[in-house]
């Protein structure tokens, strides 16, 4: 398992001395390698808290949105008690998506495959053909839940770790980030959700992160938050005063008097990424003021796309000259997780659900599937027939 990583880490084993590595930029292959991308999915996107949206987007009972982050589709919904819940978008029966629309309003989630239905709290409500069978326990067949945190300003965060309590608490990643001084004087109730838009690009997600932080003179305060704000007096006079924050790994938010927008980097492969934007408008702003800032930043984001595309094309055997602070965080998380996998002798996917001991899926069957897939790809590093993560006693559905 270790030999393939020598090209990325420069060694067969991750050092265990505990010494702090020097601040060196990541090599170019960290921005192009499918194997590295799969490791990042396990080490970062399966474990870290991610900024998703604001509760303004879910104002009523049954309002839901569907998100997909690093290959993990999930539903975010507001239930009748006003709670915000998130679930993997997969039916417990035959793994068909419970929701096929990107957003909407629902009283229940009904799978269109065989009619299994679930409440807004994720609990199984009806299982035709199964619920009357002896030994069938509805309480053990709820939708697989995703951890959700709503901060003091109403922003919603998610963590895909499948454990009952995530390994990383929200406070470990973002303690008091919602109370930072740059938000003083901002009344979030003065904003309404306005619209979304997106752009796709042929580049690695870290290219986007590097570009965002360099363009705004990033200054890393800790391992999770990268802050920046350098508005000129002229910009402030035009209503372009910015309060901006980058939330590792893949989101940022910029607040202006007339609007704020969230930008999420949604990677789909080692070299493909989508920038998704949510725009919120100040209720008191004129159409002229809103459109000035809205169009200004759409132009800036379009220019950033071109920069990122060209940067990805120019990657060869050189070192990527991006934000060293951000790259250090990525390097440390990836190496830490890789070391755990070395010790375990297998890939570790924190977002995968653990099978109960009575599950019918056997370790022998899953190992057989993994071996077949690895042989077809000619590499023992293959992710497996389940999209990277099929492993003994662990799977997403059963």
């Amino acid at each position: 398992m270790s030999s393939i990583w020598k090209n990325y880490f420069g060694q067969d084993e991750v050092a265990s001395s505990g010494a702090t590595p020097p601040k060196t930029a990541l090599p170019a292959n960290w921005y192009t390698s499918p194997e590295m991308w799969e490791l990042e999915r396990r080490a970062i996107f399966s474990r870290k808290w991610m900024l998703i949206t604001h509760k303004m987007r879910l104002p009523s009972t049954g309002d839901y949105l569907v998100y997909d982050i690093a290959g993990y589709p999930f539903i975010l919904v507001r239930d009748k008690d006003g709670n915000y819940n998130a679930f993997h978008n997969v039916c417990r029966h035959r793994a068909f998506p419970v929701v096929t629309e990107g957003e909407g309003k629902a009283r229940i989630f009904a799978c269109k495959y065989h009619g299994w239905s679930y409440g807004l709290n994720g609990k199984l409500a009806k299982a035709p053909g199964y619920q009357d069978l002896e030994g069938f326990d509805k309480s053990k067949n709820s939708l697989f839940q995703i951890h959700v945190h709503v901060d003091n300003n109403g922003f919603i965060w998610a963590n895909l770790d499948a454990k009952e309590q995530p390994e990383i608490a929200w406070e470990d990643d973002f303690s008091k980030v919602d109370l930072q001084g740059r938000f003083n004087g901002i009344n979030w109730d003065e904003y309404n959700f306005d619209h979304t838009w997106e752009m796709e690009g042929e580049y690695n997600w870290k290219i986007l992160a590097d570009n965002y932080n360099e363009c705004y003179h990033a200054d890393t305060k800790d391992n999770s938050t990268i802050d920046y704000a350098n508005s000129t007096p002229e910009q402030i006079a035009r209503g372009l005063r910015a309060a901006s924050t980058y939330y590792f790994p893949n989101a940022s938010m910029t607040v202006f008097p007339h609007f704020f927008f969230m930008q999420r980097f949604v990677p789909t492969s080692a070299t493909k990424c989508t920038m998704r934007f949510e725009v919120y408008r100040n209720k008191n702003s004129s159409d002229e003021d809103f459109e000035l800032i809205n169009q200004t930043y759409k132009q800036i984001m379009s220019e950033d796309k071109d920069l990122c595309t060209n940067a990805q094309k120019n990657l060869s055997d050189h070192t990527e000259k991006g934000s060293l602070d951000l790259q250090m965080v990525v390097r440390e998380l990836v190496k830490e997780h890789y070391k755990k996998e070395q010790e375990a002798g297998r890939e570790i996917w924190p977002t995968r659900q653990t099978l109960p001991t009575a599950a019918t899926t056997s370790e022998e069957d899953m190992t057989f599937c993994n071996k077949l897939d690895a042989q077809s790809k000619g590499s023992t590093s293959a992710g497996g027939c389940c999209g990277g993560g099929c492993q003994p006693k662990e799977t997403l559905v059963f």
Side-chain angles (χ1 to χ4, degrees):
M1 181 179 177
S2 63
S3 60
I4 191 171
W5 296 105
K6 187 173 182 179
N7 291 330
Y8 306 111
F9 298 150
Q11 54 193 20
D12 283 328
E13 302 290 340
V14 176
S16 58
S17 64
T20 301
K23 274 193 176 184
T24 56
L26 295 177
N29 57 5
W30 282 53
Y31 292 75
T32 58
S33 160
E35 292 87 2
M36 182 57 69
W37 159 235
E38 291 298 321
L39 181 53
E40 288 174 343
R41 289 182 67 209
R42 304 193 298 272
I44 299 175
F45 293 97
S46 294
R47 299 176 60 241
K48 302 291 281 182
W49 284 92
M50 293 172 284
L51 178 62
I52 304 300
T53 189
H54 193 278
K55 65 182 185 181
M56 279 184 260
R57 292 208 64 191
L58 303 167
S60 304
T61 298
D63 289 343
Y64 72 84
L65 299 165
V66 176
Y67 289 89
D68 191 312
I69 296 179
Y72 302 115
F74 63 91
I75 309 161
L76 181 65
V77 62
R78 179 170 176 169
D79 67 21
K80 60 184 179 65
D81 296 319
N83 300 315
Y84 300 90
N85 305 317
F87 312 100
H88 287 280
N89 188 17
V90 56
C91 180
R92 291 293 299 272
H93 184 216
R94 287 288 183 256
F96 193 79
V98 176
V99 172
T100 55
E101 301 294 330
E103 61 181 283
K105 193 178 188 70
R107 290 191 302 165
I108 60 170
F109 293 125
C111 178
K112 296 180 180 179
Y113 197 169
H114 288 125
W116 283 37
S117 59
Y118 307 84
L120 302 180
N121 58 5
K123 293 182 179 180
L124 180 64
K126 186 182 297 185
Y130 282 81
Q131 59 193 35
D132 296 326
L133 291 177
E134 183 179 354
F136 182 77
D137 189 344
K138 289 173 62 175
S139 68
K140 294 182 179 179
N141 285 275
S142 302
L143 293 175
F144 289 123
Q145 193 155 15
I146 289 171
H147 303 287
V148 170
H149 175 83
V150 182
D151 69 24
N152 287 295
N153 297 327
F155 291 93
I156 301 175
W157 307 72
N159 186 308
L160 298 171
D161 191 331
K163 299 183 185 69
E164 185 174 350
Q165 294 297 326
E167 178 186 358
I168 301 172
W170 184 84
E171 289 76 14
D172 294 337
D173 270 350
F174 295 106
S175 178
K176 298 183 180 179
V177 72
D178 48 349
L179 303 177
Q180 56 186 314
R182 68 186 59 224
F183 293 153
N184 291 344
I186 295 175
N187 183 355
W188 302 101
D189 291 334
E190 291 183 348
Y191 295 86
N192 281 328
F193 169 71
D194 195 83
H195 68 280
T196 64
W197 61 288
E198 64 181 56
M199 293 188 299
E200 295 183 354
E202 303 285 332
Y203 37 71
N204 183 274
W205 71 275
K206 296 187 294 296
I207 291 275
L208 268 174
D210 288 338
N211 174 75
Y212 186 90
N213 290 297
E214 283 191 314
C215 285
Y216 293 90
H217 310 286
D219 177 25
T220 303
K221 303 301 182 187
D222 55 44
N223 280 355
S224 297
T225 307
I226 301 174
D227 299 334
Y228 47 90
N230 291 291
S231 302
T232 66
E234 292 78 11
Q235 290 172 326
I236 293 174
R238 296 176 64 203
L240 302 180
R241 181 178 181 229
S244 302
T245 306
Y246 183 83
Y247 304 94
F248 184 86
N250 68 323
S252 66
M253 181 173 63
T254 304
V255 185
F256 300 89
H258 300 300
F259 92 153
F260 73 85
F261 75 89
M262 296 169 53
Q263 177 185 18
R264 295 186 305 109
F265 311 148
V266 185
T268 53
S269 73
T271 56
K272 291 185 179 180
C273 193
T274 301
M275 289 187 286
R276 293 199 170 126
F277 301 89
E278 295 187 1
V279 180
Y280 298 78
R281 176 174 174 169
N282 192 309
K283 302 173 186 177
N284 303 314
S285 296
S286 67
D287 291 344
E288 181 181 3
D289 288 335
F290 174 72
E291 282 305 318
L292 168 64
I293 186 63
N294 185 36
Q295 295 305 321
T296 296
Y297 269 79
K298 282 186 176 180
Q299 179 182 344
I300 291 173
M301 295 302 108
S302 179
E303 292 170 354
D304 283 351
K305 175 185 176 180
D306 294 336
L307 289 171
C308 292
T309 301
N310 289 328
Q312 185 75 34
K313 288 179 180 178
N314 287 334
L315 287 173
S316 55
D317 291 329
H318 68 281
T319 298
E320 172 57 26
K321 304 298 184 183
S323 167
L324 290 180
D325 291 305
L326 183 140
Q327 292 181 29
M328 282 283 290
V329 175
V330 171
R331 177 188 286 111
E332 290 168 8
L333 287 169
V334 166
K335 285 193 172 183
E336 175 191 10
H337 193 79
Y338 170 72
K339 182 181 177 183
K340 291 180 181 178
E341 293 186 339
Q342 287 267 290
E343 294 170 347
R346 62 178 176 86
E347 294 179 349
I348 298 174
W349 291 80
T351 194
R352 304 295 184 186
Q353 304 292 324
T354 302
L355 285 170
T357 55
T360 56
T361 303
S362 72
E363 179 175 339
E364 181 182 355
D365 290 340
M366 299 186 85
T367 302
F368 177 68
C369 171
N370 277 333
K371 288 181 178 178
L372 284 179
D373 189 69
Q375 290 172 3
S376 70
K377 295 179 181 178
S379 169
T380 57
S381 66
C385 60
C386 302
C390 207
Q391 53 185 294
K393 297 185 181 179
E394 294 188 28
T395 185
L396 185 60
V397 288
F398 60 90

